[in-house]
Amino acid sequence: NYYGMLDQLIASKGRIFVGTYYSTFTGYINRMRGYHSQKYKFEGHDIGVIQSYFLIPEATKNEMRRYVPVHEPMWAREFPISWRGIDKGIGKAS
């Protein structure tokens, strides 16, 4: 069934999203939200932040609201490098 994928697509289009840090389901939603932020120039798109929050663990609540470089564990969340400058081309990316 396609319910999970449809849930992710619908959640990615919301104004604000709240998920959990160690969820790959949440991770993909945040990646799509990052793509949307670049395409539609949402607030924070220039620095790679999106209107997403983590419910648990509490210490990670605002991690998607600030730029964070890639770090371990890499599977636990998405990073702005995944969507920032995605349409620039290899020669223009910085």
Side-chain angles (χ1 to χ4, degrees), residues 49-60:
V49 299
I50 54 178
Q51 291 283 339
S52 290
Y53 303 89
F54 294 119
L55 184 62
I56 54 174
E58 181 69 27
T60 63

Side-chain angles (χ1 to χ4, degrees), residues 17-19 21 52-66:
F17 175 73
V18 178
Y21 187 79
S52 290
Y53 303 89
F54 294 119
L55 184 62
I56 54 174
E58 181 69 27
T60 63
K61 179 180 179 180
N62 293 309
E63 195 156 320
M64 297 306 290
R65 295 294 304 140
R66 57 182 159 60

Side-chain angles (χ1 to χ4, degrees), residues 16-83:
I16 295 174
F17 175 73
V18 178
T20 55
Y21 187 79
Y22 293 107
S23 166
T24 54
F25 184 80
T26 291
Y28 190 61
I29 292 169
N30 280 332
R31 181 177 286 223
M32 288 191 293
R33 290 176 65 76
Y35 295 152
H36 300 320
S37 76
Q38 297 298 296
K39 182 176 182 179
Y40 300 110
K41 309 291 186 227
F42 293 149
E43 175 190 347
H45 79 278
D46 52 334
I47 57 173
V49 299
I50 54 178
Q51 291 283 339
S52 290
Y53 303 89
F54 294 119
L55 184 62
I56 54 174
E58 181 69 27
T60 63
K61 179 180 179 180
N62 293 309
E63 195 156 320
M64 297 306 290
R65 295 294 304 140
R66 57 182 159 60
Y67 181 85
V68 177
V70 177
H71 62 78
E72 296 282 340
M74 290 181 270
W75 61 269
R77 59 155 290 170
E78 294 295 322
F79 297 93
I81 196 159
S82 302
W83 58 80

